Amino acid sequence: MTHYAFRDHRLFTVPDPGGDTLLFGADDASLFTVDETTRAVIQRWRERSAIDLADVPEADREVLQALRDARLLVPQEHRRPPRRAPYDPARIPLGTLVLEAAQACNLRCTYCFAGGGSYGGAARLMDPGLARRAARYLVESSGERQHVTLVLFGGEPLLNLAAIEAAVVEAEDAAREHGKTVTVSMTTNGTRFTPEVLAFLRAHPISLSVSIDGPPELNDANRRFAGSGRGTYEAIVAGLAELREHLPRPPAGRVTLTPEQWHLIPEVFDHVAAMGFLEVGIAPVSPMNAKMLPTPEQERVLLDGFARIAERFVQKAAEGELLRFSNLLDVLARLHVGQVKDVACGAGLGYLAIDSEGRFYLCHRMAGMDHFRVGDLEHGIDHAGIAERLAEQAAPRQDACSKCWARSLCAGGCHHDNHIREHDLGQNPGGMCDFIRGWFEICIRAYAQLRRSADERILAFLAQRAQG
Ligand code: SF4
Ligand code: SF4
């Protein structure tokens, strides 16, 4: 006789019209809409650890059988999937390399996680020869992968045009020689689009992401030039005009906001979206010191701001219009194809950063942090070191994550944020979890509404986005 139990799940109600209940599968990110009768049956039986269908009253049994057919009710012993062994970094070829081409910056943003671009120590630029070797190393360490990604990063990468040009040309050559393809992306502060830079960007297809934090008073509160201390808004607007004139494809916009700015999130989104960006992502600032840690009330304000943009997204989607809010698009795309995260991100697992001295780090945010240094260009990648660092990161949250309904969407959060909060600021693990879960809940509700009302083209866009 088989005893059944519900797989781990969470029920959400969706706002009118419809007032549906959603059932979200915690292990596989599956999403079902359930009617009132089914919801009532689930609520009656969901806490039982062993359900014998033969003992269930007939009216409920039919519903439970349907839930069993949908694999929501499973034999008791399969209720929790077995814990996966950690990935072996040595078996995952390199796919993305972030080049810290300029550990220097012409700005001094108040919230900079990179210590004004240099990641500690003196400002310095990567030698073009090193940039070239790093780009080739990426292609030649990519195993069976057909495609690699080179990310030009800093500081401000455009302070070192010689190195980024060398790296891009070498990556293109190496990819051609090995029958692979390469994508190049760059994050820039948008103040360095000189004629030479524009000529370089015209010659090479590079996906650009330009940082701007909203209207002048908000942007200039935190993003200022080094030296003069002037705000950067005007310079960024001028740079965007140059890009429009010289490049066919607009850049993405990247916004960072500090907690006291979070109440203005929808207005900031509107302002930046109206500047013609391909899409706009908004990041709550990563707290680098205790003063930057948000209060619970500020986190509620942040979620409220995101929820308001999500509502508008759904309304526009019903009219066939796509609101290009990257944060939401990323999660909706994953929900649409049921993409499950079993690691928080690719750091150390096919994704590495290299600094201006040729040292590898787990991720770009950890450049300059000795603890997260994992080899160098001369001696190769320290896979054992990566495995140790990742295990250390996972250990304090393993238990909580394994019981969390959002685990298939989150898988533990940003390693850098977790490290700063827990190691440097002495916070307990899990300090961001309410925010993370609140955000995923907003996305799940938005997705359910989208399924009901969105234009097919928008769903097709999400499917394509999920493929990368
Ligand atoms: S532009 Fe980037 S690297 Fe430069 S100071 Fe601002 S946050 Fe730091
Ligand atoms: S929200 Fe917190 S507990 Fe849940 S998976 Fe993410 S880090 Fe783990």
Side-chain angles (χ1 to χ4, degrees):
M1 179 202 318
T2 308
H3 283 104
Y4 292 93
F6 276 92
R7 293 177 70 187
D8 196 5
H9 64 275
R10 187 174 162 95
L11 294 172
F12 299 99
T13 50
V14 182
D16 285 330
D20 293 329
T21 297
L22 293 175
L23 190 150
F24 177 76
D27 288 310
D28 58 2
S30 57
L31 206 48
F32 295 85
T33 306
V34 295
D35 61 19
E36 185 48 39
T37 311
T38 308
R39 187 189 63 78
V41 173
I42 292 172
Q43 280 182 326
R44 268 198 292 283
W45 293 92
R46 63 195 299 214
E47 299 302 337
R48 303 278 184 101
S49 55
I51 303 169
D52 178 355
L53 288 176
D55 291 344
V56 174
E58 202 176 328
D60 284 8
R61 192 186 315 141
E62 265 183 36
V63 175
L64 290 180
Q65 279 166 338
L67 291 168
R68 181 194 58 189
D69 295 345
R71 304 257 324 127
L72 294 166
L73 193 66
V74 291
Q76 187 188 28
E77 62 277 17
H78 297 150
R79 185 174 177 269
R80 303 299 298 258
R83 192 171 275 190
R84 179 186 60 72
Y87 287 114
D88 177 359
R91 299 174 73 95
I92 304 180
L94 193 56
T96 300
L97 186 63
V98 183
L99 209 67
E100 308 276 0
Q103 287 181 243
C105 191
N106 57 327
L107 269 56
R108 286 294 178 274
C109 303
T110 55
Y111 50 64
C112 182
F113 69 84
S118 70
Y119 296 83
R124 56 215 180 271
L125 302 180
M126 182 179 277
D127 175 76
L130 176 68
R132 209 173 286 122
R133 282 192 285 130
R136 183 161 285 274
Y137 186 90
L138 163 65
V139 175
E140 295 184 349
S141 307
S142 62
E144 298 298 306
R145 290 185 199 268
Q146 274 310 295
H147 185 80
V148 295
T149 302
L150 177 69
V151 183
L152 308 173
F153 205 77
E156 172 47 52
L158 290 175
L159 291 181
N160 195 2
L161 186 57
I164 62 178
E165 196 157 15
V168 171
V169 170
E170 188 74 5
E172 289 169 350
D173 287 352
R176 204 173 310 113
E177 286 164 29
H178 290 271
K180 299 187 183 228
T181 51
V182 58
T183 296
V184 184
S185 65
M186 175 162 63
T187 300
T188 167
N189 63 34
T191 64
R192 301 285 303 183
F193 295 127
T194 60
E196 298 74 34
V197 166
L198 290 166
F200 162 69
L201 294 174
R202 269 199 307 270
H204 301 277
I206 294 181
S207 302
L208 289 179
S209 177
V210 173
S211 302
I212 180 165
D213 294 352
E217 62 283 9
L218 293 187
N219 180 80
D220 292 351
N222 293 320
R223 298 189 71 79
R224 301 191 213 113
F225 283 106
S228 72
R230 265 188 308 117
T232 53
Y233 184 86
E234 257 179 50
I236 301 169
V237 169
L240 291 172
E242 292 286 355
L243 284 187
R244 254 195 308 278
E245 198 181 320
H246 292 272
L247 298 183
R249 188 179 138 98
R254 156 106 195 166
V255 177
T256 303
L257 295 176
T258 46
E260 69 282 1
Q261 298 176 323
W262 291 350
H263 64 292
L264 292 168
I265 279 181
E267 290 83 348
V268 170
F269 176 79
D270 288 345
H271 182 95
V272 179
M275 298 174 95
F277 285 106
L278 193 63
E279 53 182 59
V280 177
I282 301 182
V285 71
S286 296
M288 297 304 294
N289 55 52
K291 274 198 229 136
M292 290 166 83
L293 282 168
T295 64
E297 178 52 26
Q298 285 171 322
E299 280 190 352
R300 270 192 293 278
V301 167
L302 172 64
L303 283 175
D304 183 58
F306 280 175
R308 280 158 58 203
I309 307 180
E311 261 169 46
R312 293 218 322 261
F313 181 96
V314 172
Q315 282 161 10
K316 294 276 181 202
E319 296 159 13
E321 194 186 321
L322 186 69
L323 203 63
R324 292 181 176 262
F325 179 36
S326 319
N327 307 44
L328 187 59
L329 287 169
D330 288 342
V331 183
L332 292 179
R334 286 166 48 209
L335 286 169
H336 188 55
V337 299
Q339 209 171 71
V340 170
K341 260 193 185 186
D342 56 2
V343 288
C345 69
L349 301 172
Y351 176 108
L352 286 176
I354 184 165
D355 75 356
S356 57
E357 265 81 38
R359 296 176 293 217
F360 291 124
Y361 292 88
L362 213 52
C363 95
H364 60 285
R365 292 184 146 235
M366 290 163 165
M369 295 166 83
D370 280 345
H371 189 65
F372 294 103
R373 183 176 160 185
V374 285
D376 56 50
L377 202 50
E378 201 181 325
H379 303 96
I381 301 168
D382 172 9
H383 292 110
I386 293 176
E388 268 174 42
R389 297 292 89 81
L390 291 178
E392 259 171 37
Q393 286 292 304
R397 63 204 92 253
Q398 204 137 27
D399 225 42
C401 292
S402 71
K403 295 182 191 125
C404 172
W405 69 261
R407 59 186 175 270
S408 57
L409 297 175
C410 167
C414 167
H415 297 315
H416 181 260
D417 280 349
N418 289 340
H419 178 78
I420 298 289
R421 280 177 176 253
E422 293 155 28
H423 182 265
D424 295 3
L425 306 182
Q427 302 274 300
N428 290 328
M432 293 173 72
C433 295
D434 287 345
F435 167 73
I436 292 171
R437 284 187 285 257
W439 167 236
F440 286 131
E441 191 166 335
I442 289 168
C443 296
I444 289 169
R445 289 178 197 282
Y447 181 68
Q449 291 174 285
L450 207 62
R451 288 308 307 242
R452 233 174 12 214
S453 59
D455 194 294
E456 276 305 315
R457 283 169 303 177
I458 289 179
L459 298 176
F461 172 86
L462 294 178
Q464 200 184 1
R465 188 184 180 94
Q467 305 313 319

